[in-house]
Amino acid sequence: MSHLGMKILYGLYNSIDYCWCERCFAPWPDMEEELRAAHLPLYALESGDGLDAFDIIAFTLQYELSFTNVLNMLDLAGIPVRAAEREGLRHLVIAGGCCTANPEPLADFVDVFVIGEGEEVSLELFDLYRTAKRENWDKHRFLAAAAQIGGCYVPALYTPHYDKDGNFTGITPSDGAPARIVKRIVKDLDKAYYPDCPVVPSTEVVHDRVMLEVMRGCIRGCRFCQAGHTFRPIREKSPETLIRQGITQAENTGYDEISLTSLSTTDYRKLDELCDGLIDWCAKRHISLALPSQRADKFSVELAQRLEKVRRTGLTFAPEAGTQRLRDVINKNIREEDLYNACGLAFANGWNSVKLYYMMGLPTETLEDLDGIAKIARGVVDVWRKTSDNRARGVRVTASVACFVPKPGTPFQWEPMDTVEQLREKQEYMKGIMRIKNVDFNWHDPITSHLEGVFARGDRRLCAVIYDAWRRGCRFDGWDDQLRMDLWQEAFEACGVDMAYYANRARSFDEALPWEHIYNGVTREHLMMENLRAHSGLASEDCRAGCAGCGALELLEGGICDV
Amino acid sequence: MSELRLLFEKRGTARYISHLDLMQVFRRAFARADVPLGFSKGFHPHPAITILLPLSTGFESVCELLDFELDAPRLPDNFLYKLNRALPAGICVTGVSESHTPARLIRYAAYEIYTEMDVTPEALTELFSRDALVITKRTKRGESETNILPLLRGFRAEPQGDGILIRVKVAAGNESLNPEYVIAAIEKYCGVTASYTSYLRREVFTEDLQVFR
Ligand code: SF4
């Protein structure tokens, strides 16, 4: 319910006279049981019609560990899960979202992947679908024509090749499909559709507020970050557009919070102007303005206070790594002093809790880097002692450490991921050094990250594993209490597929990668160069300080990045 | 600022909106209808909305009461129309008043309980005319054996469709009885299990069984 892309596309599709779009979410296992017992199909929320009544079923793929849910939802609707088993034009299954940076593990199940931003391309696809339906095309003819639409990837028209050792060597298209599928983008965000009145749920959901998307893309180029690389080029919305959209949405929804969202909102150049335009309007109505995350080097108490005029929330920073050396490797250009300064300012102005986000298992990481995480946590508590205006209230520093998963489309797409054992060992070590007064240490079992790491850089041989695991009962794999690693293990064994081959193996630059026919606009050369710089411990400048020529601006066809 | 009281219904799928979510639903509906609410003072101001007698999630009602503070000299024209347009399906405001009867005067709530189980209405009438019906009741201090009859008024049962319609007033407010215990008592004493039960709150009353508003 809280996914912005879904809100945009839902509104957009319903604004077209020939299109009727409804929502459907994966039912929790208890609901699934009831549906199956009552022989009811999985149904759409607005009409209650079964999914099988719809022409097109579109999935947003936000997380690798939701793949079995895709299969399960189709099955619950009585729709064959394999694309090849769905005949005719009915029940066309399409998918988009950030996991399409490597759609291969779902190639057997999805008819058309939409690569990039869906606003324009999905309408072209629907248009084609209408023609095909009217003229009674067969599915193959439709798919071949769909593959000609920019940004549409029809996996059935591509054949992967492997050498005698089972290594992927390349993929060849047929029926005139393009060798490379280039991501689609919306060039001018000010002119793009934005929903006036998204659905407001009557029960509590996460991120339940007005989401005002201030820009797309990110200037930072953190080397681990998939969104930072695949959502380029950088495009901003004007403050005028944003103020209008924010007020309209707040009026129409009644939300009491407007969140300025993007990958790095403090990098939005006209943030002051935007806040000036919204703050008084909001304050009068008890609506708060929120920034989802701050950069320590850009932190301004004045800004934070203005934003928090109505309600004060905690501060979050994401240093991601414990030492300057490792932060240079991952290109997270935050210095410890910046962090301490930001915290000091905040503490002096009444804040008393800070959340810090980190990763472990980053390339080149040593124990010293982990020690750095504890050192910073201690440092922040020290800063609080020196700067707090009210020491009686106490301070809470939370350090959350996630496991690093190398993602396709990033400079780290060639890197081996730490094994589960390595990650567990590091966690044990962290638990020991993070016993610090006023500091909470959050961590997560690495097994889910491991599975995520397998699928993130998987190829089509994983389709069989996903199918097998789903048949054995796997779903909601991203939920600790639902993940059945034993069943996954059985499925991998039954299919003769080795998890470590995908997750823990270093790739060489010469190797063909199974997702490289999907082109997100950033060249392989740029990613390679960034990888080499990482291993030399060299940070790179952000797009504003100096364009590195990553390639993304070519998607603007003559335009330039809005840095 | 004036304090006002709404009378509203909660029917259909809206019965699944919990008490806490319902406050949020109303807060947003007021905002969408552009009716300014008064806010509490302090570090975390929140809108001054109180739902008088929280209804169990899953129950329907035609007599819910909500107090709010209006931050304007008077209600806008077409207030009920605007607010109802802004509320989700199933929630419908049927009246607004300036009543200041304090909530602590609520003593009873009348329910209609429709249930399907293997007993006759006559058997139930007989059961509820006994001297005592003792069931295990959850209280703040843990479980206790409670005779529920002193907490009930005017029990009536009659056949309806495939089941039985029970009308009963249960204690509400300070010392209260969840009407689910009425079904629990029947199940215990008659040795049956209800295959389906639904609850509708019809009315709230004061000590002397006057309608509370
Ligand atoms: S083209 Fe240059 S400015 Fe644009 S995203 Fe790439 S590196 Fe940044």
Side-chain angles (χ1 to χ4, degrees):
Chain A
M1 260 320 294
S2 47
H3 179 237
L4 179 60
M6 195 200 75
K7 288 180 206 262
I8 294 176
L9 294 179
Y10 176 84
L12 172 69
Y13 296 171
N14 280 318
S15 75
I16 301 160
D17 55 3
Y18 66 76
C19 187
W20 168 260
C21 173
E22 299 196 31
R23 298 160 302 144
C24 180
F25 300 95
W28 196 247
D30 56 351
M31 179 69 170
E32 172 181 349
E33 218 173 279
E34 298 287 338
L35 285 171
R36 291 200 192 269
H39 301 286
L40 283 173
L42 181 61
Y43 55 85
L45 290 182
E46 279 76 359
S47 64
D49 289 345
L51 288 196
D52 57 333
F54 290 78
D55 288 315
I56 299 176
I57 296 141
F59 288 93
T60 171
L61 305 173
Q62 295 300 308
Y63 184 29
E64 289 80 357
L65 298 190
S66 65
F67 288 172
T68 51
N69 281 8
V70 172
L71 276 61
N72 199 42
M73 286 173 77
L74 290 174
D75 184 63
L76 272 169
I79 298 170
V81 301
R82 288 203 177 94
E85 287 165 18
R86 293 188 297 267
E87 283 163 17
L89 289 177
R90 273 186 77 76
H91 307 148
L92 186 78
V93 174
I94 67 175
C98 54
C99 289
T100 59
N102 176 18
E104 294 305 280
L106 286 182
D108 284 1
F109 313 108
V110 173
D111 294 305
V112 183
F113 288 101
V114 172
I115 311 299
E117 295 161 15
E119 283 102 328
E120 290 168 7
V121 44
S122 42
L123 301 192
E124 292 164 27
L125 187 66
F126 296 166
D127 252 350
L128 181 73
Y129 186 86
R130 283 223 298 172
T131 308
K133 207 173 152 183
R134 204 181 317 117
E135 296 173 5
N136 235 327
W137 294 7
D138 64 19
K139 187 170 176 180
H140 185 83
R141 180 172 172 202
F142 169 75
L143 290 179
Q148 297 304 318
I149 299 175
C152 284
Y153 171 46
V154 179
L157 302 182
Y158 294 75
T159 314
H161 307 287
Y162 306 95
D163 66 17
K164 59 178 188 337
D165 300 323
N167 294 315
F168 175 83
T169 54
I171 197 161
T172 43
S174 62
D175 297 276
R180 192 168 83 154
I181 300 91
V182 181
K183 173 181 86 173
R184 287 287 292 271
I185 58 160
V186 173
K187 292 193 187 75
D188 185 349
L189 290 185
D190 281 323
K191 297 207 187 89
Y193 173 87
Y194 207 68
D196 278 346
C197 191
V199 176
V200 179
S202 294
T203 53
E204 197 184 340
V205 302
V206 288
H207 303 315
D208 203 7
R209 56 199 170 204
V210 173
M211 279 193 253
L212 210 46
E213 187 190 24
V214 300
M215 60 178 176
R216 287 185 190 172
C218 175
I219 63 168
R220 296 288 162 178
C222 302
R223 291 176 181 134
F224 55 85
C225 178
Q226 189 176 42
H229 285 89
T230 57
F231 293 2
R232 292 177 177 207
I234 289 120
R235 289 145 295 155
E236 294 191 336
K237 267 191 209 172
S238 71
E240 297 76 43
T241 305
L242 288 167
I243 293 165
R244 181 169 37 82
Q245 291 175 344
I247 291 177
T248 308
Q249 267 207 21
E251 280 175 346
N252 288 340
T253 59
Y255 280 130
D256 59 359
E257 183 173 335
I258 297 179
S259 166
L260 306 178
T261 64
S262 75
L263 293 170
S264 179
T265 300
T266 36
D267 285 329
Y268 177 64
R269 282 172 304 172
K270 299 190 178 125
L271 195 54
D272 275 338
E273 206 178 307
L274 173 59
C275 293
D276 283 341
L278 280 174
I279 264 175
D280 291 337
W281 188 89
C282 286
K284 253 185 241 141
R285 291 160 183 81
H286 299 272
I287 294 171
S288 60
L289 260 183
L291 232 68
S293 74
Q294 285 108 348
R295 283 186 59 89
D297 55 343
K298 287 228 165 185
F299 182 78
S300 121
V301 165
E302 194 217 353
L303 175 67
Q305 276 178 332
R306 291 175 63 195
L307 291 175
E308 314 283 343
K309 217 171 184 172
V310 186
R311 196 191 313 136
R312 176 169 290 192
T313 48
L315 285 178
T316 49
F317 296 111
E320 307 290 3
T323 60
Q324 190 58 45
R325 184 201 68 80
L326 191 53
R327 282 194 296 277
D328 284 342
V329 168
I330 63 175
N331 204 35
K332 184 82 194 188
N333 297 336
I334 289 182
R335 292 174 308 145
E336 239 155 274
E337 302 93 89
D338 296 333
L339 182 70
Y340 294 146
N341 284 341
C343 289
L345 276 171
F347 292 146
N349 285 281
W351 270 268
N352 66 337
S353 81
V354 186
K355 287 200 184 103
L356 302 170
Y357 289 99
Y358 294 95
M359 280 186 290
M360 66 166 83
L362 288 162
T364 77
E365 180 180 81
T366 65
L367 288 186
E368 205 178 303
D369 300 305
L370 301 181
D371 291 337
I373 296 175
K375 191 178 140 240
I376 293 175
R378 264 200 202 88
V380 172
V381 176
D382 280 345
V383 169
W384 172 78
R385 278 200 197 97
K386 286 187 204 114
T387 54
S388 170
D389 58 349
N390 183 358
R391 297 213 8 210
R393 270 206 300 155
V395 69
R396 207 70 253 159
V397 178
T398 310
S400 300
V401 183
C403 299
F404 167 65
V405 178
K407 289 281 164 109
T410 69
F412 287 158
Q413 62 178 355
W414 292 278
E415 297 296 324
M417 184 175 166
D418 270 3
T419 62
V420 175
E421 293 69 41
Q422 284 170 314
L423 289 166
R424 285 209 177 117
E425 240 169 67
K426 288 181 182 177
Q427 273 178 349
E428 285 309 313
Y429 181 77
M430 289 296 299
K431 280 184 220 166
I433 59 172
M434 292 301 283
R435 281 194 204 100
I436 306 167
K437 195 167 178 245
N438 296 322
V439 176
D440 288 328
F441 169 53
N442 288 342
W443 49 275
H444 203 264
D445 190 74
I447 199 77
T448 44
S449 306
H450 178 66
L451 205 53
E452 182 186 343
V454 172
F455 290 116
R457 292 183 294 170
D459 56 36
R460 291 196 182 188
R461 288 171 293 193
L462 293 182
C463 295
V465 185
I466 293 173
Y467 185 84
D468 190 293
W470 164 67
R471 289 304 295 264
R472 286 172 201 267
C474 291
R475 28 201 134 307
F476 286 99
D477 305 302
W479 276 255
D480 282 342
D481 56 339
Q482 299 295 319
L483 176 65
R484 291 287 306 271
M485 208 51 209
D486 52 334
L487 300 182
W488 274 107
Q489 230 117 30
E490 286 171 30
F492 275 100
E493 268 160 40
C495 300
V497 173
D498 175 21
M499 288 195 243
Y501 175 82
Y502 294 98
N504 311 120
R505 185 174 59 91
R507 279 82 165 160
S508 79
F509 288 149
D510 313 326
E511 198 177 321
L513 301 173
W515 54 88
E516 282 184 306
H517 54 301
I518 306 296
Y519 183 59
N520 279 298
V522 176
T523 62
R524 180 179 231 263
E525 290 68 35
H526 178 77
L527 297 178
M528 267 163 51
M529 193 195 65
E530 281 295 298
N531 183 287
L532 291 172
R533 288 181 69 90
H535 283 283
S536 318
L538 291 173
S540 295
E541 284 186 320
D542 66 58
C543 296
R544 248 168 231 165
C547 169
C550 76
L553 66 75
E554 271 152 52
L555 296 174
L556 289 164
E557 290 166 340
I560 54 161
C561 282
D562 189 4
V563 293
Chain B
M1 287 239 199
S2 54
E3 295 233 10
L4 295 169
R5 182 167 291 172
L6 296 182
L7 177 69
F8 69 94
E9 299 186 352
K10 193 179 180 218
R11 308 292 301 262
T13 49
R15 79 176 81 177
Y16 300 114
I17 302 174
S18 72
H19 173 67
L20 275 181
D21 286 335
L22 190 61
M23 311 262 272
Q24 190 66 277
V25 163
F26 266 100
R27 201 202 55 69
R28 289 175 184 159
F30 276 111
R32 290 197 288 266
D34 204 18
V35 179
L37 288 177
F39 271 69
S40 69
K41 305 283 170 291
F43 204 59
H44 296 285
H46 51 88
I49 293 183
T50 317
I51 294 173
L52 265 51
L53 195 63
L55 185 73
S56 297
T57 306
F59 288 16
E60 292 184 283
S61 172
V62 293
C63 58
E64 292 306 283
L65 296 163
L66 176 149
D67 285 355
F68 70 99
E69 227 171 72
L70 178 72
D71 189 12
R74 55 183 201 88
L75 284 171
D77 295 340
N78 294 328
F79 166 70
L80 285 190
Y81 174 81
K82 281 182 185 156
L83 189 58
N84 281 327
R85 290 249 323 156
L87 281 163
I91 296 180
C92 182
V93 176
T94 51
V96 56
S97 69
E98 285 188 19
S99 167
H100 300 301
T101 323
R104 63 183 153 74
L105 295 183
I106 297 175
R107 276 291 180 283
Y108 293 99
Y111 285 90
E112 285 179 11
I113 309 172
Y114 172 78
T115 181
E116 289 171 11
M117 56 167 77
D118 211 6
V119 283
T120 61
E122 294 73 33
L124 295 187
T125 311
E126 189 275 322
L127 180 68
F128 280 82
S129 54
R130 291 189 191 178
D131 292 338
L133 292 177
V134 178
I135 53 141
T136 317
K137 186 174 179 259
R138 266 173 291 129
T139 67
K140 282 176 200 119
R141 278 154 274 123
E143 294 193 337
S144 75
E145 295 299 309
T146 310
N147 175 13
I148 62 168
L149 285 184
L151 301 169
L152 298 178
R153 289 285 178 278
F155 181 94
R156 281 193 292 146
E158 61 191 64
Q160 188 178 82
D162 295 335
I164 298 169
L165 185 70
I166 295 167
R167 291 195 175 87
V168 64
K169 296 184 186 71
V170 299
N174 226 353
E175 198 193 352
S176 66
L177 183 77
N178 189 314
E180 282 170 329
Y181 286 115
V182 172
I183 297 300
I186 298 172
E187 290 184 327
K188 175 181 166 189
Y189 281 89
C190 301
V192 293
T193 320
S195 57
Y196 176 85
T197 312
S198 68
Y199 299 83
L200 170 70
R201 185 141 86 192
R202 273 241 87 106
E203 197 49 272
V204 273
F205 298 98
T206 57
E207 178 73 57
D208 48 359
L209 295 183
Q210 297 297 309
V211 170
F212 175 92
R213 278 295 175 273

